[in-house]
Amino acid sequence: MSLGQEEGIFLRPARKRRISPGFVFIVFRIFVLIAFISVLSPGNGLALWPFGKKEPYVAKVGDRVITVKEFIEGVNKLHTGSRVGEALTREKSFEKQRYKKFLNEMIDTKLMLIEAESMGLDKEADYVSAVENFSLNLFLSRLREDEVVNKVKVEDSEVEVVYAEELKKKEEQKTAKEKKVDVPPADEAHGQVKDKSRGDKERIKERILKERIKAKEAEYFVYLRGRADVKFDEEAMKKVSSFAPEDLDTPLAYVNGEPVPAGMISESARKSGGGKDIKDAVESVILYKLLDMEAAKRDYKNEENIAKAIAQFREKRLAEDFKRKAVSAAVKIDENEINDYYAKNTAKYMMQDLFNLGLITVPSMAEADSVISELKKGGSFAHLAEKKSGDSSSVKGGDIGWVSAERFSDNILSAFRIAKEGEVLGPFDASEGKGYVLAVFEFRGMKKGEPIPFEQIKQSVKMELGREKYSELLVTYLKRLRENIPIEINEDEMAKF
């Protein structure tokens, strides 16, 4: 029996009932009394509406509302997200203009949602499927919590027993020689052993928990399978290896009345020729369906956290679909535009400058000063590199050839760009997390970067042009929406931030 059929059992047609005039009068008096009490209630912003206050809002966009709570949650996410960077994350509050800017971004999102719905994007199959899959995954996660994770526990006493057994086993495996190894002073050793034992016990507890969760899952799967109504189509399963693409809707089995089409089975299983492989593959899909059915029929969608997550996913996905289907799809680029964009923005598509260099690396400032002193006296760079450099290029007399500018920090590049051929530069810090290293360079020449040939960069130019056109089109589209959809900003609430 399907979920829809189960729900149908509890649905009854509404019965008509004659309501007497006296009953209507009593109800009317009660409503008037409640309304009167609500008027007298201090601080009641709803006046005659007796069922509570409306949630405060910062803006209204058409028929959509941005509540104060939603706005604050959005601001808090900015502080924990990567979008605003480290500097803002450390701040405790926004400046006023930042609040306004973020509110405008939220308003833009609401405008996109309104337009997407007016275009029917929320009814399209890919959107509906994405929301259903997201929701189902949340339901499945909650189902696993209810039926598996929350029913499994590991007592500390159990961990102690396993820990003692493992410790005893390790002690037995030690050789007499290992036992004679010096140990740290008593208090230090005690602290190390204590910290180590705590970590070992945590790992043991985690391992036992995983094992029990796995066993509980298997037990729950058996339970679901045992109470399911499953019927196999043996003839279809025998023929599945010869199915053409148009045959993949053919059911291989039915689980609680729902078909398991051949298309849900992996191609490798279908081509196996039937037998155990195909039966196991069908059983796997049956299990997925049973879990989906069980999760879907529970009331998880009404739990606050899940309902909120689904609502947020709906908005995010719908806004993305709007950008992709209404904006990106409208961006058109021809060959002439790509050529013109490249010609006007050649500076964006330049090869890096190249520098011809010699390199000597040393581990201390004293050694760096010694190398530079000898070079200034006319010493051979190649000879000094072979004798003193710690870099692999020492075997070639420190010659590292032509090196791209992107390999160097700004302060080193600044020195290179004004250097003369044969000049010794440094020392520069070249540690890069590998210990203290100083670099001394011999400048041997520079090649200015040239424009990257158009044919090599054409696709990148097209993408860059496309991004610019997309941004311009989105701004224009949102401007038009703002002109046609009423927007109200609650300045009193915004002033509180």
Side-chain angles (χ1 to χ4, degrees):
M1 182 178 291
S2 72
L3 178 60
Q5 290 170 325
E6 288 177 356
E7 288 179 344
I9 292 173
F10 297 99
L11 293 174
R12 299 285 189 275
R15 293 192 304 170
K16 293 183 179 179
R17 179 180 175 186
R18 183 176 177 272
I19 301 176
S20 69
F23 177 79
V24 172
F25 178 71
I26 292 169
V27 171
F28 175 76
R29 290 183 64 186
I30 291 172
F31 183 84
V32 170
L33 179 61
I34 294 172
F36 178 73
I37 292 170
S38 74
V39 170
L40 296 181
S41 298
N44 189 344
L46 291 183
L48 294 177
W49 186 250
F51 302 117
K53 292 183 178 181
K54 288 183 179 178
E55 192 171 354
Y57 69 94
V58 292
K60 293 180 180 179
V61 185
D63 60 353
R64 291 177 178 265
V65 176
I66 301 173
T67 64
V68 170
K69 182 179 178 182
E70 181 183 359
F71 183 71
I72 291 173
E73 286 177 353
V75 170
N76 289 338
K77 283 181 182 178
L78 283 182
H79 282 276
T80 57
S82 59
R83 172 187 151 196
V84 295
E86 185 181 354
L88 181 59
T89 302
R90 289 198 302 263
E91 292 179 12
K92 293 183 179 179
S93 62
F94 274 166
E95 291 96 343
K96 190 171 184 179
Q97 62 269 29
R98 284 187 179 173
Y99 280 118
K100 288 282 189 181
K101 182 177 183 295
F102 183 61
L103 178 60
N104 275 319
E105 289 180 11
M106 295 187 77
I107 289 171
D108 284 344
T109 299
K110 299 297 183 186
L111 290 168
M112 287 188 278
L113 297 176
I114 292 169
E115 182 70 358
E117 288 178 354
S118 73
M119 296 169 67
L121 298 184
D122 59 325
K123 304 293 190 298
E124 294 191 358
D126 58 340
Y127 172 79
V128 173
S129 176
V131 173
E132 288 177 350
N133 287 337
F134 179 82
S135 304
L136 186 56
N137 283 328
L138 291 180
F139 301 159
L140 288 169
S141 180
R142 280 289 289 110
L143 178 66
R144 187 172 182 268
E145 281 182 29
D146 284 351
E147 297 298 337
V148 178
V149 176
N150 292 344
K151 294 183 178 181
V152 173
K153 62 180 180 177
V154 179
E155 302 290 349
D156 289 342
S157 57
E158 296 175 283
V159 175
E160 292 293 342
V161 170
V162 176
Y163 177 71
E165 290 174 353
E166 292 189 357
L167 200 60
K168 182 179 178 182
K169 189 174 180 181
K170 288 178 183 177
E171 288 294 332
E172 291 173 350
Q173 291 174 346
K174 283 184 178 180
T175 63
K177 184 177 179 181
E178 288 172 332
K179 289 182 180 179
K180 292 178 182 178
V181 173
D182 291 337
V183 296
D187 55 345
E188 183 182 344
H190 175 73
Q192 290 176 353
V193 170
K194 186 176 181 181
D195 289 343
K196 187 175 185 302
S197 67
R198 187 185 297 116
D200 287 343
K201 289 174 183 178
E202 288 173 355
R203 283 188 288 275
I204 289 169
K205 186 170 186 176
E206 186 178 345
R207 186 182 74 223
I208 296 173
L209 196 60
K210 284 182 179 179
E211 290 170 354
R212 291 186 179 177
I213 285 174
K214 188 175 181 180
K216 191 68 178 177
E217 282 179 344
E219 178 187 317
Y220 185 61
F221 296 160
V222 170
Y223 163 74
L224 286 179
R225 182 67 177 82
R227 65 179 194 153
D229 177 19
V230 177
K231 294 181 175 64
F232 293 97
D233 188 328
E234 300 292 347
E235 287 302 313
M237 289 171 67
K238 289 177 184 177
K239 298 175 183 177
V240 71
S241 61
S242 61
F243 278 5
E246 58 269 22
D247 299 324
L248 295 182
D249 288 334
T250 304
L252 303 180
Y254 292 87
V255 52
N256 294 338
E258 287 195 14
V260 178
M264 292 187 72
I265 310 302
S266 69
E267 185 177 0
S268 59
R270 293 200 305 271
K271 300 300 182 184
S272 65
K276 186 176 184 302
D277 285 346
I278 191 68
K279 187 73 175 283
D280 288 347
V282 174
E283 283 286 2
S284 293
V285 176
I286 286 171
L287 176 58
Y288 293 143
K289 278 190 164 289
L290 288 171
L291 288 168
D292 291 353
M293 290 175 183
E294 188 67 21
K297 76 181 184 182
R298 302 203 180 194
D299 202 28
Y300 294 138
K301 66 178 180 294
N302 292 322
E303 292 184 6
E304 184 178 356
N305 288 343
I306 288 180
K308 183 177 177 180
I310 293 171
Q312 289 174 343
F313 177 82
R314 284 178 180 276
E315 290 201 349
K316 181 181 177 183
R317 174 61 191 243
L318 194 54
E320 289 172 354
D321 282 2
F322 167 79
K323 291 175 182 177
R324 180 166 50 87
K325 296 181 178 181
V327 184
S328 291
V331 174
K332 306 297 180 187
I333 302 173
D334 61 37
E335 290 293 318
N336 290 333
E337 286 180 300
I338 301 172
N339 288 322
D340 290 345
Y341 188 84
Y342 174 77
K344 292 175 182 176
N345 297 276
T346 306
K348 288 185 178 182
Y349 307 110
M350 299 291 289
M351 295 180 181
Q352 291 282 334
D353 292 342
L354 298 175
F355 300 96
N356 189 10
L357 304 163
L359 170 66
I360 295 174
T361 61
V362 291
S364 70
M365 184 61 74
E367 290 183 67
D369 288 341
S370 174
V371 167
I372 292 171
S373 177
E374 291 191 46
L375 289 171
K376 285 182 178 179
K377 292 175 183 177
S380 166
F381 192 94
H383 177 74
L384 286 168
E386 289 174 0
K387 295 295 183 182
K388 297 190 175 185
S389 180
D391 189 73
S392 59
S393 63
S394 62
V395 296
K396 298 186 293 180
D399 183 19
I400 59 174
W402 291 95
V403 185
S404 175
E406 62 191 353
R407 297 281 302 277
F408 302 103
S409 61
D410 290 342
N411 64 318
I412 296 177
L413 284 176
S414 297
F416 286 170
R417 295 191 193 285
I418 60 174
K420 296 177 181 177
E421 193 170 326
E423 187 175 349
V424 174
L425 305 170
F428 298 103
D429 183 4
S431 303
E432 297 182 352
K434 301 174 183 176
Y436 188 57
V437 178
L438 291 169
V440 176
F441 295 99
E442 182 179 65
F443 184 80
R444 299 171 179 173
M446 172 182 173
K447 289 180 182 177
K448 287 291 291 180
E450 298 176 352
I452 302 172
F454 177 69
E455 289 306 319
Q456 291 182 23
I457 203 75
K458 182 178 177 180
Q459 192 59 34
S460 296
V461 175
K462 183 178 180 180
M463 290 175 65
E464 183 71 22
L465 176 58
R467 282 191 289 267
E468 287 192 11
K469 281 195 152 193
Y470 166 84
S471 296
E472 292 169 1
L473 192 58
L474 179 60
V475 168
T476 302
Y477 207 139
L478 289 171
K479 183 180 179 181
R480 181 176 62 78
L481 291 176
R482 281 176 176 267
E483 291 169 353
N484 289 280
I485 296 174
I487 298 171
E488 175 198 340
I489 295 177
N490 189 339
E491 297 294 352
D492 290 340
E493 286 294 339
M494 287 301 296
K496 296 177 184 178
F497 290 99

